[in-house]
């Protein structure tokens, strides 16, 4: 009977120790996660599908948890999504404006042609592939002297704009006036 009592006592103490260790593991895991595994999973699935509408509530004392990190990530993704949609809207507007009936040429700061629109190609006879990477002087008619261009570029640098009439040359050699 004494041996059986000793074994029962050892079993009860071991069981209580195991329960205590499981409880400590559970509370540590819950503190690390900041919520249940189901909450983490459902939030990950929702965010993964692009739904940022429901705010993730982080309980006090859980600021360093996985759920708190997930909440921060959701906020960043939400801000990025808003910025992306705004940029897409701006690009749609720019694309419509770029494909207007007016000839448009876009250059970089080194005056290298980056893009032209359809109206430019129709007006000059050049394809986009023929002018991209070149300088606008490809259209030079020879009717303006260096001083004219120097003054034009100085005005552009000083004020950001220039307006006037200029003579240009189409791909076939025809010289034509245009308002810039």
């Amino acid at each position: 009977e004494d041996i059986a009592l000793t074994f029962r006592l050892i079993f009860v103490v071991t069981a209580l120790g195991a329960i205590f260790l499981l409880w400590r593991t559970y509370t540590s895991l819950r503190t690390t996660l900041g919520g249940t595994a189901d909450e983490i999973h459902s939030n990950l699935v929702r965010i993964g599908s692009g739904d940022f509408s429901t705010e993730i509530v982080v309980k006090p004392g859980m600021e360093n948890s996985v759920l708190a990190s997930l909440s921060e990530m959701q906020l960043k993704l939400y801000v990025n999504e808003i910025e992306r949609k705004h940029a897409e809207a701006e690009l749609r507007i720019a694309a419509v404006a770029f494909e207007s009936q007016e000839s448009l040429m876009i250059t970089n700061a080194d005056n290298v042609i980056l893009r032209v629109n359809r109206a430019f190609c129709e007006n000059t006879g050049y394809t986009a592939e023929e002018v991209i990477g070149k300088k606008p002087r490809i259209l030079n008619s020879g009717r303006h002297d260096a001083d004219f261009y120097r003054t034009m570029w100085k005005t552009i640098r000083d004020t950001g704009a220039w307006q006037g009439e200029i003579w240009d040359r189409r791909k076939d050699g025809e010289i034509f006036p245009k308002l810039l």
Side-chain angles (χ1 to χ4, degrees):
E1 286 183 34
D2 289 339
I3 294 174
L5 183 61
T6 304
F7 277 122
R8 280 188 205 123
L9 199 56
I10 291 171
F11 178 75
V12 168
V13 169
T14 305
L16 288 174
I19 291 170
F20 176 75
L21 286 175
L22 285 171
W23 178 79
R24 290 281 293 146
T25 303
Y26 170 78
T27 56
S28 292
L29 185 60
R30 183 123 178 157
T31 301
T32 300
L33 291 177
T36 66
D38 287 337
E39 287 176 293
I40 301 288
H41 180 262
S42 66
N43 282 310
L44 280 171
V45 168
R46 186 178 48 74
I47 291 170
S49 68
D51 178 8
F52 309 119
S53 60
T54 307
E55 182 181 351
I56 298 174
V57 179
V58 179
K59 296 173 187 147
M62 302 288 183
E63 291 81 13
N64 295 324
S65 67
V66 170
L67 195 62
S69 297
L70 193 58
S71 177
E72 289 174 24
M73 181 185 67
Q74 175 185 348
L75 180 61
K76 289 177 184 174
L77 287 170
Y78 178 71
V79 169
N80 285 346
E81 179 72 7
I82 289 172
E83 290 172 352
R84 182 188 63 79
K85 286 181 178 179
H86 179 72
E88 284 177 355
E90 292 293 321
L91 282 172
R92 278 192 296 277
I93 292 167
V96 168
F98 190 73
E99 288 306 324
S100 71
Q101 299 301 313
E102 298 292 325
S103 288
L104 293 175
M105 170 195 311
I106 297 176
T107 66
N108 63 14
D110 295 325
N111 207 21
V112 174
I113 299 171
L114 301 176
R115 234 179 125 194
V116 296
N117 69 354
R118 188 177 325 118
F120 173 92
C121 294
E122 290 170 0
N123 194 19
T124 64
Y126 287 101
T127 65
E129 293 77 22
E130 290 173 311
V131 295
I132 291 175
K134 295 193 170 59
K135 298 202 176 216
R137 71 174 62 119
I138 192 171
L139 303 172
N140 192 334
S141 68
R143 287 197 176 183
H144 303 286
D145 60 11
D147 194 42
F148 171 84
Y149 290 108
R150 219 179 348 269
T151 303
M152 180 182 79
W153 285 110
K154 181 180 180 335
T155 303
I156 291 171
R157 278 191 303 278
D158 293 346
T159 67
W162 179 84
Q163 183 175 342
E165 192 171 279
I166 192 168
W167 289 90
D168 271 349
R169 182 183 310 269
R170 291 189 171 96
K171 182 179 177 181
D172 66 5
E174 177 186 356
I175 295 174
F176 67 103
K178 68 181 179 187
L179 182 64
L180 294 180

